[in-house]
């Protein structure tokens, strides 16, 4: 149906694909789970019988219990033979079931990726579908064939720069890292998809993600001014009409708790821009491999703290926790908090969207003292914990 409509459909048509069990479909077989539960119940029954036997110390009750637990050699041999036959039959059934499930698994995966890639190849009027497509690619990136990685990386870069035909009536922006032709959510999903590809099978390839670091660094000022960074889009359908609203996390939970007997309201909650941002930051700097450029890490650390001054309390607290974990993983960043031993030279270029050239060690994280007098007590406590941790680590290194 989506193909017949030339992929001109609402983004909500692709949302259910995010809930497909493609990640762990083959890990647990429902029949195996039922069989394991039955065996567990049988073992518990045997344990109960043994406990009962130990409690009763003689008489007819002891003989009856022993008769239930023990059997003749002929009966034991027959039971053993029957168990072997049952085991062989179960193995044959499981093998057939697994082959059939693998077949349907592969076919479903093929149709999902074919639809995603065909939508990306349309180039025209796919702006509303891009977030849903990119979120699906990020979720199932570990299942994409390696031969598509290079082309997909190039396509993601074009989308980030607004050079993929996304949007109508927009002007070209040259080599700017951030393009006004795409939304903040689309840009974050591009970065997240690239990171998921790289942390999976893409580790074997020599793929340069420098552009994605620069893109995320350039997005931070815009995200700092984004008033709906914690909001979640929810599509509501009532009386045949569909529209999109912004709800805070608490409002989304309240809406999900409501039950409508007539099914007049259908809600589809997606992840907020704050969730996408911090997942990107954690995968970039707190993943399995460390970032080699300390200047780049310091630049991100500075911009995240600056953005935390403008963010809502919940996001600001997450930002401070992220910075504390950065200081723990990269001890040399203590120069941004305490400059008694060494100081940077030059000028910090705060408006330059190049984390490698902005000279972050020429400044410090003085915004932490602003956050200590924040109106929200949890942000105050988070800033105080961060400063206390930095001072304690500095004393340890001096000793």
């Amino acid at each position: 149906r989506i193909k017949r409509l030339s992929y001109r459909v609402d983004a909500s048509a692709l949302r259910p694909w995010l809930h497909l069990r493609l990640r762990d479909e083959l890990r647990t077989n429902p029949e195996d789970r039922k069989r394991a539960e039955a065996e567990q119940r049988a073992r518990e029954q045997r344990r109960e019988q043994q406990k009962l036997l130990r409690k009763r110390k003689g008489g007819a009750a002891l003989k009856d219990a022993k008769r239930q637990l023990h059997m003749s050699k002929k009966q034991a041999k027959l039971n053993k033979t029957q168990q072997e036959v049952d085991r062989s039959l179960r193995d044959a059934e499981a093998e057939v079931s697994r082959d059939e499930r693998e077949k349907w698994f592969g076919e479903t995966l093929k149709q999902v990726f074919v639809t995603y890639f065909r939508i990306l190849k349309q180039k025209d009027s796919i702006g509303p579908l891009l977030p849903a497509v990119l979120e699906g690619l990020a979720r199932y990136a570990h299942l994409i064939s390696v031969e598509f990685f290079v082309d997909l990386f190039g396509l993601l870069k074009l989308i980030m720069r607004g050079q993929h035909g996304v949007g109508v009536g927009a002007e070209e922006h040259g080599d700017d890292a951030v393009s006004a032709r795409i939304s903040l959510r689309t840009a974050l999903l591009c970065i997240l998809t690239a990171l998921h590809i790289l942390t999976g099978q893409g580790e074997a390839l020599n793929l340069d993600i420098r552009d994605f670091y620069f893109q995320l660094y350039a997005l931070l000022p815009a995200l700092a001014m984004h008033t709906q960074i914690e909001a979640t889009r929810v599509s509501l359908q009532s009386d045949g009409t569909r529209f999109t609203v912004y709800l805070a996390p608490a409002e989304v939970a309240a809406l999900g708790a409501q039950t409508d007997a007539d099914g007049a309201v259908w809600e589809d909650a997606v992840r907020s821009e704050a969730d996408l941002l911090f997942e990107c930051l954690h995968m970039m700097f707190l993943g399995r491999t460390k970032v080699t450029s300390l200047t780049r890490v310091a630049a991100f650390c500075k911009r995240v703290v600056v953005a935390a001054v403008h963010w809502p309390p919940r996001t600001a607290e997450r930002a401070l926790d992220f910075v504390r974990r950065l200081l723990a993983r990269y001890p040399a960043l203590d120069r941004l908090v305490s400059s008694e031993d060494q100081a940077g030279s030059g000028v910090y270029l705060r408006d330059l969207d190049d984390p490698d050239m902005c000279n972050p060690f020429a400044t410090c994280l003085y915004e932490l003292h602003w956050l200590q007098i924040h109106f929200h007590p949890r942000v105050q406590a988070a800033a105080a914990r961060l400063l206390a941790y930095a001072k304690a680590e500095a004393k340890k290194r001096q000793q």
Side-chain angles (χ1 to χ4, degrees), residues 112-151:
V112 168
F113 282 139
V114 164
T115 304
Y116 282 158
F117 292 149
R118 282 178 176 172
I119 291 175
L120 291 177
K121 288 174 64 177
Q122 293 298 310
K123 293 188 178 181
D124 297 325
S125 303
I126 63 169
L129 294 179
L130 262 181
V133 172
L134 293 172
E135 196 166 354
L137 289 175
R139 181 172 179 80
Y140 306 122
H142 65 293
L143 300 174
I144 302 177
S145 178
V146 180
E147 60 187 15
F148 297 116
F149 283 178
V150 177
D151 295 335

Side-chain angles (χ1 to χ4, degrees), residues 217 299 302-303 306 346-351 358-363:
Y217 185 75
K302 174 65 176 178
R303 273 208 174 177
V306 172
V347 179
Y348 170 57
L349 305 175
R350 62 179 183 180
D351 297 325
C358 64
N359 195 19
F361 286 112
T363 184

Side-chain angles (χ1 to χ4, degrees), residues 205-359:
L205 302 177
N206 187 17
L207 298 174
D208 183 16
I209 62 169
R210 181 171 176 268
D211 291 343
F212 296 99
Y213 278 95
F214 284 21
Q215 170 74 359
L216 185 60
Y217 185 75
L219 285 175
L220 284 173
L223 289 169
M225 299 292 107
H226 186 29
T227 57
Q228 299 288 345
I229 191 170
E230 289 184 352
T232 304
R233 290 178 176 84
V234 179
S235 297
L236 303 177
Q237 187 175 3
S238 178
D239 299 331
T241 60
R242 180 179 290 119
F243 53 95
T244 302
V245 297
Y246 284 91
L247 295 180
E251 296 172 326
V252 173
L255 180 63
Q258 295 177 359
T259 58
D260 191 349
D262 299 332
V265 179
W266 176 81
E267 59 91 14
D268 178 27
V270 295
R271 302 172 64 190
S272 65
E273 277 81 357
D275 293 336
L276 297 176
L277 169 63
F278 284 106
E279 184 174 354
C280 291
L281 290 172
H282 279 262
M283 293 185 69
M284 280 183 173
F285 300 104
L286 300 176
R288 288 180 293 180
T289 58
K290 285 188 175 183
V291 179
T292 56
S293 175
L294 188 62
T295 302
R296 182 181 301 177
V297 181
F300 270 91
C301 187
K302 174 65 176 178
R303 273 208 174 177
V304 167
V305 174
V306 172
V309 176
H310 306 279
W311 277 334
R314 183 168 174 264
T315 306
E317 187 179 4
R318 294 176 67 180
L320 293 175
D321 179 68
F322 169 73
V323 171
R324 184 186 61 80
R325 296 179 66 179
L326 276 185
L327 293 176
R329 183 160 193 182
Y330 303 90
L333 293 179
D334 65 341
R335 294 161 56 185
L336 295 174
V337 182
S338 176
S339 59
E340 297 178 359
D341 298 334
Q342 49 186 332
S345 60
V347 179
Y348 170 57
L349 305 175
R350 62 179 183 180
D351 297 325
L352 182 63
D353 290 334
D354 186 343
D356 295 339
M357 302 297 294
C358 64
N359 195 19

Side-chain angles (χ1 to χ4, degrees), residues 81-92:
T81 305
Q82 185 63 35
Q83 289 176 1
E84 291 177 355
V85 173
D86 292 341
R87 190 182 303 110
S88 61
L89 289 175
R90 287 198 302 266
D91 293 342

Side-chain angles (χ1 to χ4, degrees), residues 155-198:
L155 185 60
L156 292 174
K157 291 180 181 179
L158 290 178
I159 294 175
M160 283 196 311
R161 296 168 183 167
Q163 300 172 0
H164 187 59
V166 183
V168 180
E171 298 179 356
E172 291 294 335
H173 289 264
D175 295 331
D176 291 344
V178 179
S179 174
R181 301 178 65 179
I182 61 173
S183 63
L184 293 174
R185 183 177 188 83
T186 301
L188 288 171
L189 286 170
C190 284
I191 300 169
L192 187 60
T193 303
L195 293 173
H196 275 291
I197 291 174
L198 190 67

Side-chain angles (χ1 to χ4, degrees), residues 349-380:
L349 305 175
R350 62 179 183 180
D351 297 325
L352 182 63
D353 290 334
D354 186 343
D356 295 339
M357 302 297 294
C358 64
N359 195 19
F361 286 112
T363 184
C364 63
L365 302 180
Y366 57 83
E367 294 85 3
L368 293 177
H369 298 282
W370 296 353
L371 292 170
Q372 279 189 304
I373 56 174
H374 195 274
F375 71 91
H376 200 281
R378 294 181 62 178
V379 179
Q380 296 178 11

